[in-house]
Amino acid sequence: MLRQEDTTAITARCFHGEPASCSHPCPFFFDVRTFLARARDGKWGLAYKLYRNAVVFPAIVSELCEAPCRTECQRGHIESDNPIDIRSIEAAAVRFAKDRAPETYRIPPRDQSIAIVGAGLSGLSLALNMAQKAYPVTVFERGGQALYTWASHPKFAEFLEEVERQFSQVNVDFVYGREIEGENDPALEGFDYVHFATGDEEAGYESAEAPRAVDAIAAGIEKSKALETWLQIGEWPKDSDTPPKPEKHYVAHKGEPSKAIVVAADPEAGYTKEEASAEASRCMGCDCRICMDACEMLGRYTKRPQKIALEAYTDTKSAPPFSACSLTRQTYSCNLCGHCKAVCPVGIDLEKVFYMARTGRAETGKHPKGFHDFWLRDLEWHSTEGSYFAPGLPDGVSRSDRRYIFFPGCKLGARSPAQTEKTTSILMEAYGAGVLLDCCGVPAYWAGEDAIFRKQLHYIRERWEAAGKPVFILACAYCMRLFGEFLPEVEIVSLYEALAETDAATRKGSPATPAVANDPATPYAVFDPCTARDFPEMEQAVRKLATNAGIKLTELPERNRCCGFGGHMRTANPKLYDVIVENRRSADEAPYLVYCVNCAGSFALEGKEHAHILDLVLSESADGSQNPQTPAGESLQARRDNALRTKAMLMELYEGKAYDPAQNLWDAMRIDIPPALTHEMDGRLILADDLKEAIYKAEQSGEFFILPDGTPNGGELRQCCLIRDVVTTWAQYTAPTATPTAAAPAHTPQAYAIIDTWSHRMRFSGGDRPATGATSAASDPTCHPQPPGHPPITPPKNEWICAKCDIPLAQKNTVFAYMGMTFSHEVKRCPECGIVFISKELADGKMAEVEQLMEDK
């Protein structure tokens, strides 16, 4: 179970939001950064209040302060630049504030009385602070007025006016001309506490013993804090009771231009409003925003890391409808790429916070399953139907001294079966490598489904042990990372390091491939995947392979940025995903050289020219022999089909026998999908196999809808759905011209034409609709009987009818459920059997809006 300290400890060293370096030498630890921001915007009233609350006597401090803050102004660290003239801006705030009257507070009067001996800066500061807290205060002064030791100062009259202004809203008794003769003086009888503010700290400005005036005022403020503690609990606070100042940090200002200091046109009068604002605008803020500036997601949400850590925990404790989650969309918008930690000056690992948030929410059932449903089903498929394990070697293949297993992951074989087979053959020849075709479990890791992830790791560990604990040769950088973190007992090496030690490293290939139709002389920009930052040997091996293949290379301005695929955040935040992919795509005009199949898929989806390193290393060789090329199919369904072809090829390679995959009843069904719709299906994570299954089961059970004359040529349009555990997929289609027979409904040589498809995560119930679209083998899809005693009905034109009951649909109340919440809404459904009709407009419109609202709660 997630604990608050688990997440907050990660961000404890983050200094975003802490005072800037210029605040540290200030005796008041004044928030200079916020003050200058208000001055920059011309908000002089707000700037003055902030200044007054910090320094007590702003008109005095702005005159006497020696401005130690300027020694730590980071603007002064920039070449040919000067620190900001902060004191002159403070003086401007005092002049330009329209209302300088002190704020009043309604506090019940306190019983303990305080006597202060000495009306110098320190004593007055203590007196004012205690009086503002409603303590009865009496000030004894031997002179005839406050600050009498400063009477010779040129601005004494202004100082005295400032004192009177600040004391105007509190009740303090001033007793002037009274010399106090020590602690036993009769005048001090009856006071609960007596403070002597005399001596050096109250000396006038001409005295050699006088400390800095602002130090005296600051000392009075600190004394008031300690005194209030003593009056309340009877003990003086220890040094350990005072929270230490945060550590001083300097923020990187790479590329910050020099800005000339603003000089007042009239130095005697000081800055005008415009001059003061201009000088304040030179402030760089000096608040660490490196992670927010470096990451599109963090920059969009602009939440402090400390707040993210707290909300990651509190979201697991939310209890709708009484409380809501605060971080849902942001939690699942993280690519989990580690870039934030890589750029953070103190190594804050926000990725870990978001991962813990996902696992914590999954444990408590507060996670939106729809964000990862497709990929978790894909993981299950790759771990069952798509999996293949061959630890041994065919006869006649020698084994090296060390044992090796090639682990291409779930994506390489799905991209190119022939390329995977060729790579495996090279590794088999060079290392005697076996093969394990499976998934590392990253979809479950990204979903926060820890139990599923650990189960997959356990399966891999079992295969590793069964193969004699070999070295794993990994093709994917993220596999490298997960193996290194969660399977540290397994020795690993990247595919590209292994290939670089074979003759593949010296093969001079032609870079002209179907994937990239550019001039061979044009250099490729190397796109290093995000997690490769932890594997420099992998990065260098890729460059070695490319160079030896005759490829010219350039480097991107930023390395190891996520292509957008990581974390499967596209479902959670498609708009942000588009921004991220576009930023990666446009980072360089040159075609990209990639070695992560997920990166290749992202760039293929966006039309960015690219080539996988294996496209080049295994391309047409110098001797004219033809090596495998990447297939053109980039759709999700094509990749699923490729994965099966890869399994078949590897089985033939290692065992010399054909692969006979298990067949579903709908596998032989033919469907035609327009290319544009295929692209849309990939965006919606819908497979052609999903549509086959939906249509087959609908035609078998008769549970579909008909729109007579619904096609442009006047034909019949049909609509059905496939209800899974999380996602419901809908299909609009036309049936083949020749109606299938009941004996072989799915084996017609003609195809169903797919018109449109969509999906939603919301579930619906009511009526007698089965929960999972069960198939009835005895039903005849060509027969749509009417209920007994039902009179013949002529279907209205342009109106959907239930194929099973042969009657028009009607608006009926339906219960919808999502994320543990239910509500009712009227939608079209059959008045007889109750099956529900959801249009694409409704699914993409209102239903999608409600789904997002539910997810964010």
Side-chain angles (χ1 to χ4, degrees):
M1 187 64 68
L2 188 65
R3 301 172 301 170
Q4 181 173 336
E5 56 266 32
D6 293 335
T7 57
T8 55
I10 297 173
T11 59
R13 295 186 62 222
C14 177
F15 57 92
H16 174 73
E18 290 183 359
S21 57
C22 54
S23 294
H24 282 260
C26 175
F28 306 100
F29 204 52
F30 177 45
D31 186 0
V32 178
R33 179 175 57 220
T34 302
F35 169 79
L36 291 178
R38 291 173 177 175
R40 176 198 63 207
D41 297 336
K43 298 178 179 179
W44 297 111
L46 294 175
Y48 173 80
K49 284 184 178 180
L50 185 69
Y51 185 49
R52 188 271 168 209
N53 290 339
V55 304
V56 184
F57 301 115
I60 297 175
V61 174
S62 63
E63 178 64 30
L64 302 178
C65 182
E66 297 176 357
C69 51
R70 297 194 74 201
T71 64
E72 290 292 346
C73 175
Q74 294 180 38
R75 170 63 70 180
H77 297 176
I78 295 176
E79 187 177 357
S80 303
D81 215 333
N82 294 290
I84 295 171
D85 190 352
I86 300 172
R87 196 179 81 173
S88 294
I89 301 173
E90 292 170 347
V94 173
R95 291 199 309 275
F96 300 137
K98 293 182 180 179
D99 183 9
R100 294 168 59 187
E103 295 180 295
T104 59
Y105 306 92
R106 293 186 178 182
I107 302 175
R110 311 296 182 99
D111 295 329
Q112 301 103 318
S113 59
I114 301 168
I116 297 174
V117 180
L121 289 173
S122 176
L124 291 174
S125 173
L126 174 60
L128 182 57
N129 276 276
M130 297 308 294
Q132 288 178 156
K133 298 170 184 176
Y135 288 96
V137 177
T138 300
V139 177
F140 295 92
E141 170 57 56
R142 65 181 178 177
Q145 58 188 343
L147 297 179
Y148 87 98
T149 58
W150 289 78
S152 60
H153 192 280
K155 293 195 175 182
F156 174 70
E158 295 177 24
F159 292 174
L160 201 58
E161 180 184 357
E162 173 72 345
V163 170
E164 292 173 352
R165 178 185 300 109
Q166 300 304 331
F167 278 93
S168 64
Q169 301 298 323
V170 295
N171 294 318
V172 175
D173 291 332
F174 285 92
V175 181
Y176 295 116
R178 178 65 165 88
E179 182 85 28
I180 299 297
E181 302 293 342
E183 297 179 359
N184 297 320
D185 193 296
L188 302 180
E189 292 183 5
F191 288 100
D192 294 283
Y193 181 77
V194 177
H195 176 73
F196 283 84
T198 57
D200 291 345
E201 67 176 8
E202 293 297 342
Y205 83 101
E206 294 179 340
S207 171
E209 295 82 19
R212 294 195 317 178
V214 292
D215 288 340
I217 297 174
I221 296 173
E222 293 303 312
K223 183 67 176 182
S224 71
K225 297 175 183 177
L227 177 55
E228 185 174 24
T229 299
W230 181 83
L231 292 171
Q232 290 181 354
I233 65 174
E235 293 183 6
W236 291 101
K238 302 180 180 64
D239 291 340
S240 59
D241 296 332
T242 304
K245 287 184 179 180
E247 182 181 354
K248 181 169 57 179
H249 292 94
Y250 295 94
V251 180
H253 297 290
K254 185 178 180 180
E256 180 70 29
S258 175
K259 292 183 179 180
I261 190 170
V262 177
V263 179
D266 185 349
E268 289 294 326
Y271 279 144
T272 64
K273 288 182 180 181
E274 293 75 16
E275 291 169 340
S277 292
E279 178 65 3
S281 69
R282 295 177 62 234
C283 176
M284 299 180 292
C286 296
D287 192 8
C288 183
R289 287 182 47 92
I290 292 177
C291 62
M292 297 181 195
D293 294 337
C295 170
E296 292 91 346
M297 182 275 289
L298 293 174
R300 171 162 295 193
Y301 289 95
T302 63
K303 284 188 177 181
R304 294 182 60 189
Q306 297 94 327
K307 186 175 183 181
I308 290 173
L310 180 60
E311 290 182 351
Y313 163 75
T314 57
D315 276 2
T316 65
K317 304 298 180 183
S318 65
F322 304 105
S323 61
C325 294
S326 305
L327 209 63
T328 300
R329 196 67 55 184
Q330 186 173 5
T331 294
Y332 295 95
S333 296
C334 177
N335 288 131
L336 300 182
C337 67
H339 185 60
C340 53
K341 181 182 179 181
V343 300
C344 177
V346 293
I348 301 299
D349 191 358
L350 284 177
E351 177 202 351
K352 188 174 182 180
V353 174
F354 285 119
Y355 173 69
M356 295 172 72
R358 296 187 187 194
T359 56
R361 291 179 59 141
E363 287 177 0
T364 55
K366 297 182 176 69
H367 60 314
K369 293 183 179 180
F371 290 171
H372 296 276
D373 172 70
F374 175 86
W375 304 108
L376 289 173
R377 287 190 284 112
D378 196 52
L379 165 62
E380 182 181 9
W381 185 91
H382 279 285
S383 301
T384 52
E385 294 181 56
S387 181
Y388 178 66
F389 179 46
L393 293 174
D395 293 339
V397 178
S398 61
R399 186 187 300 277
S400 61
D401 294 336
R402 304 181 71 187
R403 300 173 69 89
Y404 291 87
I405 286 285
F406 177 37
F407 188 85
C410 58
K411 295 294 191 293
L412 186 62
R415 182 174 189 265
S416 173
Q419 201 174 78
T420 307
E421 181 194 29
K422 180 62 178 178
T423 304
T424 306
S425 298
I426 293 173
L427 298 177
M428 180 189 293
E429 178 184 349
Y431 299 98
V435 69
L436 174 57
L437 191 62
D438 212 305
C439 178
C440 66
V442 70
Y445 175 81
W446 283 340
E449 295 282 3
D450 191 62
I452 300 175
F453 178 54
R454 299 288 175 175
K455 180 181 178 181
Q456 187 66 11
L457 292 176
H458 178 71
Y459 171 84
I460 294 172
R461 186 181 291 108
E462 286 185 332
R463 304 286 83 76
W464 172 67
E465 292 174 346
K469 299 184 178 180
V471 179
F472 264 64
I473 301 174
L474 305 178
C476 171
Y478 221 104
C479 291
M480 295 276 290
R481 173 185 171 177
L482 294 185
F483 270 66
E485 183 173 353
F486 296 100
L487 293 171
E489 65 273 27
V490 179
E491 185 179 352
I492 59 175
V493 65
S494 77
L495 167 64
Y496 311 106
E497 293 170 76
L499 288 179
E501 298 302 319
T502 70
D503 65 343
T506 58
R507 182 181 294 116
K508 299 295 183 179
S510 167
T513 73
V516 182
N518 64 298
D519 184 343
T522 301
Y524 288 82
V526 183
F527 190 91
D528 294 289
C530 51
T531 47
R533 72 170 63 87
D534 298 323
F535 306 102
E537 296 85 359
M538 172 190 274
E539 294 180 325
Q540 292 307 313
V542 168
R543 287 161 173 78
K544 178 180 178 181
L545 287 170
T547 301
N548 287 337
I551 310 302
K552 294 183 179 180
L553 300 177
T554 62
E555 299 292 340
L556 289 169
E558 280 190 290
R559 292 170 60 173
N560 306 117
R561 295 306 309 272
C562 182
C563 66
F565 187 85
H568 293 145
M569 55 81 67
R570 184 177 72 178
T571 312
N573 204 328
K575 291 183 179 179
L576 179 59
Y577 168 82
D578 291 341
V579 171
I580 292 174
V581 176
E582 173 57 26
N583 288 347
R584 300 296 95 78
R585 187 193 68 79
S586 59
D588 199 299
E589 294 182 356
Y592 288 166
L593 173 65
V594 303
Y595 48 103
C596 169
V597 178
N598 290 328
C599 294
S602 295
F603 295 135
L605 201 62
E606 296 299 316
K608 172 66 178 179
E609 279 193 319
H610 68 283
H612 193 282
I613 180 64
L614 297 181
D615 297 340
L616 307 179
V617 173
L618 304 182
S619 64
E620 184 179 352
S621 60
D623 62 6
S625 60
Q626 185 66 37
N627 285 328
Q629 303 291 353
T630 302
E634 291 285 358
S635 71
L636 291 173
Q637 184 62 58
R639 295 188 176 209
R640 176 70 64 86
D641 296 339
N642 283 343
L644 286 180
R645 294 190 189 98
T646 297
K647 180 175 180 177
M649 287 181 172
L650 295 181
M651 185 175 288
E652 175 68 28
L653 181 65
Y654 279 90
E655 301 180 39
K657 63 181 182 181
Y659 171 52
D660 185 18
Q663 293 290 319
N664 295 304
L665 293 174
W666 50 85
D667 285 345
M669 175 186 287
R670 288 186 56 211
I671 58 174
D672 286 337
I673 306 174
L677 185 57
T678 298
H679 184 78
E680 183 180 337
M681 287 169 58
D682 285 346
R684 293 177 179 270
L685 302 179
I686 298 174
L687 296 174
D689 284 348
D690 296 334
L691 303 185
K692 287 183 179 181
E693 183 179 355
I695 294 171
Y696 176 83
K697 289 183 175 181
E699 295 287 335
Q700 282 285 78
S701 65
E703 292 189 347
F704 60 93
F705 306 98
I706 296 174
L707 182 62
D709 303 323
T711 62
N713 60 5
E716 179 182 273
L717 184 64
R718 297 185 180 184
Q719 179 170 319
C720 68
C721 72
L722 175 66
I723 303 176
R724 296 193 187 277
D725 180 50
V726 178
V727 175
T728 298
T729 302
W730 291 85
Q732 277 189 358
Y733 61 98
T734 60
T737 305
T739 306
T741 65
H747 294 79
T748 174
Q750 295 182 320
Y752 289 84
I754 306 299
I755 306 301
D756 207 349
T757 180
W758 59 94
S759 63
H760 55 78
R761 299 188 280 273
M762 197 177 297
R763 303 299 296 271
F764 47 76
S765 60
D768 58 359
R769 175 159 177 73
T772 57
T775 301
S776 171
S779 62
D780 182 352
T782 65
C783 177
H784 314 304
Q786 297 177 5
H790 196 288
I793 293 178
T794 302
K797 194 171 183 179
N798 299 324
E799 194 167 324
W800 288 95
I801 64 172
C802 172
K804 188 174 184 179
C805 304
D806 202 18
I807 58 175
L809 306 183
Q811 291 288 122
K812 293 286 185 180
N813 193 53
T814 302
V815 178
F816 289 85
Y818 189 56
M819 296 292 294
M821 291 171 274
T822 60
F823 58 95
S824 298
H825 188 71
E826 282 196 353
V827 295
K828 288 182 178 181
R829 62 189 306 166
C830 177
E832 291 287 346
C833 67
I835 60 174
V836 177
F837 177 94
I838 301 294
S839 68
K840 185 177 185 179
E841 292 72 22
L842 180 61
D844 288 352
K846 272 294 180 187
M847 289 180 70
E849 291 178 14
V850 175
E851 286 170 354
Q852 291 189 30
L853 289 173
M854 298 294 188
E855 290 159 356
D856 288 336
K857 288 184 178 181

